[in-house]
């Protein structure tokens, strides 16, 4: 993406406040990709933490969260229960979200100490992904920021729709600006518009 098309100017300031704490477990290979969306979500959320995993010479530290919170691992494993089960939990949720390709994300529970005991949750079936920059091999697969947005939309109560909309807006801008730079989207159709002075090559 052209430097002037970075969506940093659209990141909420101040960052979005949430009762739910996001812990993003990002694979080191995914962390290098310009199309990564997990870090974009974390940049928008004040109550978030990013952990880079997958270094052979540096094992990922054991997962731990505050004792007065409810930890949940967001991934559709076979034993996952609906996230909606926890929307009325009295304790704040610590939402662990693996970020990487499907294979990398599916191994987080086995590779990170302390996650085997954490309940695994899945999202309700929803609209297809809007992530037009990559091919999704799994039906119902979402970009990481989309999954986070939908999860917070459920967990954050009355503020959920606002948080979800804010994350989906910046995600849409990232996708549209990238496709615009490739000549695949008209200027008038770019979410958030094109910054002044940016010229498509």
């Amino acid at each position: 993406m052209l430097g002037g098309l970075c969506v940093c100017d659209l990141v909420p300031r101040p960052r979005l406040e949430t009762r739910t704490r996001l812990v993003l477990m990002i694979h080191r290979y995914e962390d290098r990709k310009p199309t990564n969306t997990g870090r974009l979500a974390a940049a928008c959320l004040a109550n978030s933490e990013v952990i880079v995993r997958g270094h052979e010479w540096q094992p990922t530290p054991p997962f731990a969260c505050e004792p007065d919170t409810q930890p949940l691992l967001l991934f559709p494993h076979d034993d996952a229960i609906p996230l909606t089960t926890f929307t009325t939990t009295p304790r704040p949720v610590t939402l662990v979200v693996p970020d990487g390709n499907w294979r990398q994300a599916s191994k987080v529970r086995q590779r990170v100490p302390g996650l085997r005991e954490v309940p695994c949750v899945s999202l309700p079936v929803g609209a297809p992904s809007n992530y037009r920059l990559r091919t999704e091999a799994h039906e119902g697969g979402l970009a990481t920021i989309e999954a986070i947005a939908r999860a917070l939309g459920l967990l954050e109560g009355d503020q959920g729709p606002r948080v979800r909309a804010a994350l989906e807006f910046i995600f849409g801008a990232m996708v549209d600006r990238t496709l615009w730079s490739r000549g695949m989207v008209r200027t008038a159709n770019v979410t958030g518009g094109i910054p002044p002075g940016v010229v498509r090559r």
Side-chain angles (χ1 to χ4, degrees):
M1 184 187 295
L2 299 175
L5 291 177
C6 175
V7 294
C8 297
D9 61 316
L10 300 178
V11 172
R13 293 290 184 264
R15 296 197 292 170
L16 300 170
E17 295 286 349
T18 57
R19 182 171 181 259
T20 305
R21 177 165 181 76
L22 169 68
V23 177
L24 185 74
M25 294 271 186
I26 184 169
H27 193 275
R28 63 188 178 97
Y29 289 149
E30 182 66 25
D31 195 34
R32 303 172 185 171
K33 297 179 180 179
T35 52
N36 173 263
T37 68
R39 276 197 177 273
L40 182 58
C44 295
L45 299 168
N47 194 11
S48 64
E49 175 185 5
V50 177
I51 298 172
V52 180
R53 54 168 294 272
H55 297 289
E56 295 179 3
W57 63 90
Q58 184 181 352
T60 306
F63 169 75
C65 65
E66 295 297 325
D68 58 345
T69 69
Q70 171 63 63
L72 299 174
L73 174 63
L74 184 63
F75 193 83
H77 286 293
D78 290 341
D79 62 343
I81 57 181
L83 177 61
T84 51
T85 305
F86 296 91
T87 53
T88 58
T89 179
R91 294 188 293 165
V93 167
T94 295
L95 187 68
V96 181
V97 179
D99 192 8
N101 62 35
W102 195 271
R103 181 172 175 273
Q104 292 161 350
S106 67
K107 293 184 177 182
V108 166
R109 185 161 57 169
Q110 286 72 40
R111 297 290 173 83
V112 178
L115 282 184
R116 286 181 181 271
E117 297 76 26
V118 173
C120 190
V121 294
S122 59
L123 292 168
V125 175
S129 173
N130 191 39
Y131 199 21
R132 293 163 287 158
L133 304 182
R134 298 190 193 178
T135 300
E136 177 53 59
H138 292 265
E139 184 178 358
L142 300 171
T144 302
I145 193 172
E146 289 180 300
I148 293 169
R150 295 185 189 189
L152 293 180
L154 295 170
L155 293 171
E156 289 298 302
D158 292 343
Q159 294 300 314
R162 179 183 66 86
V163 173
R164 174 174 175 172
L167 293 177
E168 290 181 339
F169 173 80
I170 195 169
F171 172 62
M174 172 193 169
V175 171
D176 287 350
R177 288 184 180 186
T178 301
L179 294 177
W180 178 87
S181 72
R182 301 173 184 175
M184 299 171 66
V185 170
R186 296 176 57 189
T187 302
N189 294 336
V190 175
T191 301
I194 298 296
V198 176
V199 178
R200 182 163 51 200
R201 298 172 183 172

